[in-house]
């Protein structure tokens, strides 16, 4: 049985191997995903994001266990920061979710960012597709942590779960545009702490400026003690139902597909340019001309684009 057949039959080792191949830019992995793409789209992909220290991994662990009680299969892609000095990752999620590793209905993959910005790994979208084909009902993508520019999770998910926590002293900071706008469901974790009610009020007030058809619910949970988890699971399901009945699911996926296509096109062109010695030489020459004020950067960029347009078989 080949790798594609094994993946379609729910072979966990085949899924793990294909994700590794994808991370290593193996062309065979891309060819396999191309051939099997029609088998994706069934799972609900849920992005879990929020500030560092919000307890995202603990919450992911509890959500996965709640869904497993219903007999659902769960994939978890946990993104960890990669050290700029050693290239290694902390991969702390392996510790927090250690008891899930023995569950045959759960697939966990930790991925380092490897310098990729936006809170995700470069291979995240590919890994999510693999887990979708593999047969997961739900796929959680847990980001490194969110800042106002780390919102790439919207490109990968059907539903964004924004995890907040009281007592960080930066509630107002967290409510700034860019973060609040991407949340479909809000969870205030560690809600047994002082300040949880105040945080909820602030989030609700910020959401009052959201005039879209979907009003994001704000749930109070204590993941460590498994409080509020079932209610949060229901809100995540309710959002999926809303997306389907309103027609927003296909609209959101179309938008995400557009962003993915543009990203892949950009990556391919950059790889082609940087892999060609003559092109690098031309860029260096143009850079010298710009630095010497013999040429402006806009015209230099136009020359490169004209050269790209001449490429064939990209």
């Amino acid at each position: 049985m080949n790798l594609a057949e094994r993946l379609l039959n729910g072979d966990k080792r085949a899924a793990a191997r294909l994700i590794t191949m994808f991370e290593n830019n193996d062309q065979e992995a891309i060819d396999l995903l191309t051939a099997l793409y029609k088998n994706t789209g069934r799972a609900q992909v849920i992005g879990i994001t929020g500030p560092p220290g919000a307890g995202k991994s603990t919450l992911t662990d509890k959500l996965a266990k709640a869904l497993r009680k219903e007999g659902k299969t769960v994939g978890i892609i946990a993104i960890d920061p990669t050290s700029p000095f050693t290239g290694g990752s902390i991969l702390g999620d392996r510790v927090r979710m250690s008891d899930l590793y023995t569950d045959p209905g759960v697939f966990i993959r930790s991925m380092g960012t490897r310098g990729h910005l936006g809170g995700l790994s470069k291979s995240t979208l590919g890994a999510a597709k693999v887990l979708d084909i593999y047969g997961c009902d739900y796929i959680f993508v847990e980001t490194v942590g969110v800042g106002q520019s780390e919102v790439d999770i919207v490109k990968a998910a059907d539903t964004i779960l924004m995890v907040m926590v009281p007592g960080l002293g930066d509630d107002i900071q967290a409510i700034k545009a860019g973060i609040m706008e991407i949340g479909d469901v809000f969870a205030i974790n560690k809600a047994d702490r002082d300040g949880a009610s105040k945080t909820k009020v602030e989030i609700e007030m910020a959401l009052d400026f959201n005039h879209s058809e979907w009003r994001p619910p704000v749930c109070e949970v204590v993941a460590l003690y498994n409080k509020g988890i079932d209610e949060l699971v229901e809100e995540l399901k309710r959002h999926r139902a809303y997306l389907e009945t309103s027609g927003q699911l296909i609209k959101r996926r179309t938008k995400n597909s557009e962003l993915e296509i543009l990203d892949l096109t950009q990556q391919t062109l950059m790889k082609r340019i940087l892999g060609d010695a003559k092109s690098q030489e031309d860029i260096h020459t143009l850079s010298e001309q710009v630095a010497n004020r013999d040429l402006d950067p806009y015209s230099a960029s136009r020359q490169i684009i004209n050269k790209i347009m001449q490429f064939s078989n990209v």
Side-chain angles (χ1 to χ4, degrees):
M1 191 178 294
N2 61 35
L3 189 57
E5 292 170 334
R6 289 171 54 200
L7 184 65
L8 289 170
N9 286 327
D11 185 328
K12 186 177 280 191
R13 294 181 67 181
R17 182 182 169 194
L18 191 53
I19 292 174
T20 299
M21 291 167 63
F22 198 84
E23 287 183 300
N24 294 329
N25 294 316
D26 190 318
Q27 185 59 44
E28 183 183 352
I30 296 172
D31 293 342
L32 275 172
L33 285 185
T34 301
L36 299 176
Y37 185 73
K38 62 177 182 285
N39 296 288
T40 64
R42 189 181 62 84
Q44 181 179 3
V45 181
I46 301 170
I48 299 183
T49 190
K56 296 187 291 296
S57 294
T58 303
L59 186 58
T60 303
D61 175 80
K62 302 301 183 186
L63 289 171
K65 287 174 178 171
L67 289 166
R68 286 297 295 142
K69 287 180 181 175
E70 300 178 9
K72 304 297 184 183
T73 52
V74 178
I76 299 172
I77 303 171
I79 314 298
D80 289 285
T82 300
S83 167
F85 305 107
T86 65
S89 299
I90 298 173
L91 303 181
D93 305 304
R94 291 181 184 274
V95 177
R96 298 186 188 94
M97 304 177 193
S98 57
D99 52 341
L100 282 179
Y101 276 89
T102 57
D103 187 333
V106 178
F107 185 105
I108 304 176
R109 182 68 172 223
S110 291
M111 308 178 88
T113 54
R114 300 187 180 186
H116 186 75
L117 300 177
L120 298 181
S121 164
K122 185 179 174 182
S123 306
T124 303
L125 294 179
K129 291 184 184 68
V130 171
L131 294 182
D132 202 347
I133 299 167
Y134 165 70
C136 290
D137 297 309
Y138 293 87
I139 300 171
F140 293 110
V141 180
E142 182 192 325
T143 72
V144 172
V146 69
Q148 280 185 273
S149 63
E150 295 175 333
V151 293
D152 268 5
I153 186 62
V154 298
K155 301 177 185 176
D158 300 319
T159 300
I160 305 295
L161 172 58
M162 179 65 69
V163 185
M164 309 294 279
V165 62
L168 288 180
D170 58 356
D171 292 3
I172 301 300
Q173 174 69 21
I175 290 175
K176 283 184 176 178
I179 294 178
M180 292 298 294
E181 290 173 2
I182 68 172
D184 298 304
V185 178
F186 286 78
I188 302 173
N189 192 23
K190 307 179 185 180
D192 54 342
R193 289 184 177 180
D194 291 341
S197 298
K198 177 175 177 286
T199 300
K200 183 172 183 178
V201 169
E202 289 175 338
I203 294 173
E204 295 283 9
M205 288 175 62
L207 291 175
D208 287 342
F209 293 101
N210 179 351
H211 300 297
S212 64
E213 193 175 281
W214 171 259
R215 166 83 181 200
V218 183
C219 304
E220 294 186 54
V221 301
V222 184
L224 187 62
Y225 302 120
N226 212 33
K227 292 183 178 178
I229 300 301
D230 290 340
E231 291 80 0
L232 182 56
V233 167
E234 290 307 311
E235 292 295 353
L236 295 171
K237 291 179 181 177
R238 193 167 70 86
H239 183 250
R240 171 61 181 255
Y242 159 75
L243 290 175
E244 290 180 334
T245 56
S246 65
Q248 289 297 318
L249 182 61
I250 189 63
K251 289 182 180 177
R252 180 171 292 206
R253 288 184 172 180
T254 299
K255 183 179 179 182
N256 289 348
S257 296
E258 180 180 333
L259 294 171
E260 184 179 11
I261 291 168
L262 291 174
D263 277 349
L264 289 170
T265 303
Q266 182 182 39
Q267 290 172 27
T268 301
L269 289 175
M270 289 303 295
K271 184 178 178 182
R272 179 67 182 265
I273 292 171
L274 297 176
D276 181 76
K278 181 64 169 61
S279 295
Q280 286 192 45
E281 184 180 330
D282 290 344
I283 293 172
H284 182 72
T285 301
L286 289 171
S287 300
E288 287 184 329
Q289 292 175 350
V290 171
N292 290 322
R293 302 303 189 266
D294 295 327
L295 184 69
D296 65 89
Y298 311 102
S299 299
S301 174
R302 196 176 306 118
Q303 288 188 38
I304 294 173
I305 292 171
N306 289 337
K307 186 177 286 291
I308 290 172
M309 299 296 287
Q310 295 171 7
F311 285 157
S312 60
N313 301 321
V314 174

